[in-house]
Structures are given as C-alpha cells and as structure tokens.
Amino acid sequence: MTDTVFGDSVPAVVQSAPSRFDAYDTADLWRKDVDHYIHPFTDFEVWKNEGALVMAESEGAYVYDSDGKRYLDAQGGLWCVNAGYGRAEIADAMAEQARRLAYYSPFTNTTSVPGATLAHKLASLAPGDLNHAFFGMSGSDANDTAVRIIHFYFNRLGQPNKKTIITRVNSYHGSSYLAMSLTGVAHDHIGFDIIGEPLIARVEGPDVYRRSGEMTPEEYTDHLVDGFKSKVEELGADNVAAFFAEPIMGAGGVLVPPPGYLPRMREACREFGILYVSDEVVTAFGRLGHFFASEDVFGIQPDIINSAKGLTSGYAPLSATLLSDDIYDVISVPQAPGAEFAHGYTYSGHPVSCAAALANIEILEREDLCGHVRTVGPYFEERLRTLADLPIVGDVRGKNFMMCLENVADRDTKEMFPPEVEIGRRISDACDARGLLVRPIGRLNVLSPPLILTTDQIDWLVDTLRAGIEEVTAGLEREGLWSGG
Ligand SMILES: Cc1ncc(COP(=O)(O)O)c(C=O)c1O
C-alpha cells in the first residue's frame, strides 16, 4: 500500500507504544465510555467490569489501541473494512466532498454529483437488470427499505395480500425493529419483542455441520427446499411477498449453503411468484472474490440485492438497495395525483458517503482486490483448515475471506460447551493478548479480514490463532471444564 500512514515497515509482532500514543489518556477515555456510551450488542455486566478497548489508529490490516498496542484485525472492523485501513485516497475524497457540498436534500428532484455517479456505477457492477439504487445508511435500513418497496410494489400490482416475508433460522438482517424481526438468530431476540406471522415467517436455514440425521448434503438441499415449499403452501403463495437470504449466512455462523440450494430456492421463488432478495450486506464488494456474490459465486439473479459495509469499506455509513428494472418500472409509474413514493431518509445518498464509496470502488478495481481474494482466499481457507486437528475445533468453514471456527466440547458428538464457558470469547481474549482480533459469536470465532491480507499475514494469523486455542484448551483442562484431550 502506498497511501498508508506507516508504510510497510511495521514488524509482524506486537509493537511497543510509539510516542504519539502518549496523546491518548486511556484511563480517562475508559471512564467516559463506561459512564456514558451505550454500546451495541453488549453484555453490560462484562463491560461495566472490564470496560472497552479504546481503538485509536489504524493502518492496512492493523488497528492500534490508545496505548499503541497493535492488532491484526481479522474481523475487518465488522465485516466491512474491505480495502483496509488508512486509505488516504478515501479520506481525501470525503474531505473534498465535504468542502464542496457536505449535504443537500436528496428528496424529490435534487441529487448530488457523487450520488448520481455512484448509482450509475453500481448499476454497471450489479448483476442482470439491477439498475436502480436506493441509498440508506446501514444494512438494517436497507432491509427495511426492501420490505417497504416490496409491499408498495405488490400494492401497486393490485395484489395487496402479498405481504409475508420469509426468512431463515440463523439469518441476520439487522437491528431495526423490522430488520431484527427478519433476523432468525434466536439469541438476538432474547428480552425483545419481534414481529412474527403473518408479516414475517421463518423456515429452516442451512447448517451443514449440524444437520440432523444421515442426510447427504444433496439430500439436505432437498429437505430445505421442500421445507420452504411446504411453508409457502401453508401460508398460501398469494400471501407471500418475498424471500430474504444472505448467500452465506454471516452472523448466524458463516453457514455455507449445501450444493444447489440457492439456485433451487431461487427457482422455487420464481415458481410461486415470490420476490427473491439477496442480503449481500457482508458478501458484496469483494469478500467472496466478486463485487456481488449472488450471480458470480452462486449463479442466481435476485430481484433485489442489499449492500452496505464494504460499499464504503466502513469509511462512511452507506447502504444501497438495488432493484430490478421490473420492480422499478412498477413503483415508478405515477400514482393518484398528490401521492408519491413516500420513503427515504435525510441522509439517503449522503454526498460524503457516496464520495467514499466511489473512492473505495476505484481502489477495489485498481488493485483488483477481488482477484486477490480469489487467489489468496483458498490459501486462507486451507491454512485455517489445518486448525481442525485441535481437539476443540469441530468445524472450520466458510469461503475466501468469510471464515469461521466452530468450537465444541466433543468433536465426535458435536456437543457444545455450556454457554457460561464462553468458549468463543476465551479464544478471542487469548488472541487479543497476542495482538490478533478474531470475533467471538457464542461458541464461534469468525474471521472476516480486510481483503488486502497477504499470505505472510495469513500464516501469522493462523499460527497465533492456534496458540490462542491451545492456551484456552489447557486452561479449560486445568479448570476441570474439559477433559476431552
Ligand atoms: C447480512 C447482514 N444484513 C444486514 C446487516 C445489518 O447491517 P447494519 O449493522 O449496517 O445495520 C448485517 C450486519 O452485520 C448483516 O451481516
């Protein structure tokens, strides 16, 4: 990388604090944070006792805490820092746009230079006839937008009964009221209310590792598709509007679908007259080696694709809901006088975010980061799979730069550790101490690094993760929490 802050000279071991980090008063920041900042998805008890790690700076695939400790960020922020940290080019584009025109209303008949340019660019990158972009700020609001547009579409077609949205167990679609209701991760619903049937219905989602019985992967595909068809028949196809699916389920456990599953689900939707929405908030913009994964990786052409995260590589909040010509044609036909398409946000297509996205896409294209992922991704997968010899690693799965370890108490029976063992967190803590960030989700550790990762960094990451897991395993044995070794 030539436009980064530190250059290539950063050693691969945890650095001692450079003097500029003295400017951060970690204890003061820690106190302010604990007293006033409510974090998303937080165990308040742990946070109140331990506080938060204060992240201060970044470069390439690394982040630095406020004491100057360096970490290889194998989380890519939160599945999003695809182009890597410290991209001066993106920062400059944002600053330049803020100076020229920080903001103007996107409502009715005004647009911005980067907004129009980005919508055109996305139409050229998206598969098939997904030629129309609606911009929001997050993956959650992109999914809300998709539901609103789908309902508007069927209302306009004179099919007002078509309202139910079908999603899958273990899917993640966001955290607004509606997006969390679309989400099928049961853990995320604890203590909250969600919207259920008839607006949102759930079907079984693929989990190849934990599938029940003796089904082959192919039989498992049949089973899942049959389950979906039965659900549609139970609800009545005339009442079902759309099916939402991540190509690979992310937060639900990096669940790769069994062979032929997505094309068959796509086909089933077509048969029933149900719209197919690909939630590519994680998978778009290179994580699986292509700008969009639906067609290039899985061979399906959705009616709608949602994207966010890697669209700006996390430099600014932005989402894009990409609609087919057919949907656009229906929703854009004039309504009764005075009626309009009354949906949108103050910050839809924010000019600074769109400028960030354009600079980000320019980098992804110029450096062929999708090609890099296609080349290096299989090496990452192969190296991570070597961890399957560790006695608490039950499954290593995923694709390219979207990977996950499932940790288990017993590899033969796939028995899980009790939740209080917090196996994923123990491993991530052991890795943190070694300067590696891997995300704990329950019993899992998820890896979604920046797409610039080199093979040397992959080797260090895998060796460090192995050492972390070995240390945790020894600790569990000492505490009498595991004796499987
Ligand atoms: C597949 C998917 N959809 C939607 C979202 C929600 O995105 P956001 O957190 O930007 O609202 C996420 C977030 O992780 C996601 O993984």
Side-chain angles (χ1 to χ4, degrees), residues 59 226 345:
E59 186 266 340
D226 290 348
Y345 311 103

mmCIF file of all heavy atoms in Angstrom, residues 59 226 345:
data_model
loop_
_atom_site.group_PDB
_atom_site.id
_atom_site.type_symbol
_atom_site.label_atom_id
_atom_site.label_comp_id
_atom_site.label_asym_id
_atom_site.label_seq_id
_atom_site.Cartn_x
_atom_site.Cartn_y
_atom_site.Cartn_z
ATOM 1 N N GLU A 59 -3.880 1.108 10.251
ATOM 2 C CA GLU A 59 -3.076 1.136 9.023
ATOM 3 C C GLU A 59 -3.130 -0.231 8.356
ATOM 4 O O GLU A 59 -2.890 -1.247 9.023
ATOM 5 C CB GLU A 59 -1.626 1.491 9.357
ATOM 6 C CG GLU A 59 -0.740 1.682 8.146
ATOM 7 C CD GLU A 59 0.007 0.417 7.753
ATOM 8 O OE1 GLU A 59 0.143 -0.468 8.608
ATOM 9 O OE2 GLU A 59 0.417 0.322 6.583
ATOM 10 N N ASP A 226 -37.771 -28.442 0.174
ATOM 11 C CA ASP A 226 -39.125 -28.977 0.430
ATOM 12 C C ASP A 226 -39.766 -28.244 1.602
ATOM 13 O O ASP A 226 -40.961 -27.934 1.571
ATOM 14 C CB ASP A 226 -39.074 -30.487 0.737
ATOM 15 C CG ASP A 226 -38.714 -31.294 -0.504
ATOM 16 O OD1 ASP A 226 -38.736 -30.710 -1.602
ATOM 17 O OD2 ASP A 226 -38.390 -32.488 -0.360
ATOM 18 N N TYR A 345 -34.710 8.797 3.660
ATOM 19 C CA TYR A 345 -34.062 9.322 4.855
ATOM 20 C C TYR A 345 -33.339 10.629 4.524
ATOM 21 O O TYR A 345 -32.873 10.823 3.399
ATOM 22 C CB TYR A 345 -33.040 8.324 5.378
ATOM 23 C CG TYR A 345 -33.580 6.911 5.493
ATOM 24 C CD1 TYR A 345 -33.251 5.945 4.546
ATOM 25 C CD2 TYR A 345 -34.436 6.550 6.540
ATOM 26 C CE1 TYR A 345 -33.746 4.656 4.642
ATOM 27 C CE2 TYR A 345 -34.935 5.258 6.648
ATOM 28 C CZ TYR A 345 -34.583 4.312 5.701
ATOM 29 O OH TYR A 345 -35.077 3.038 5.789
#
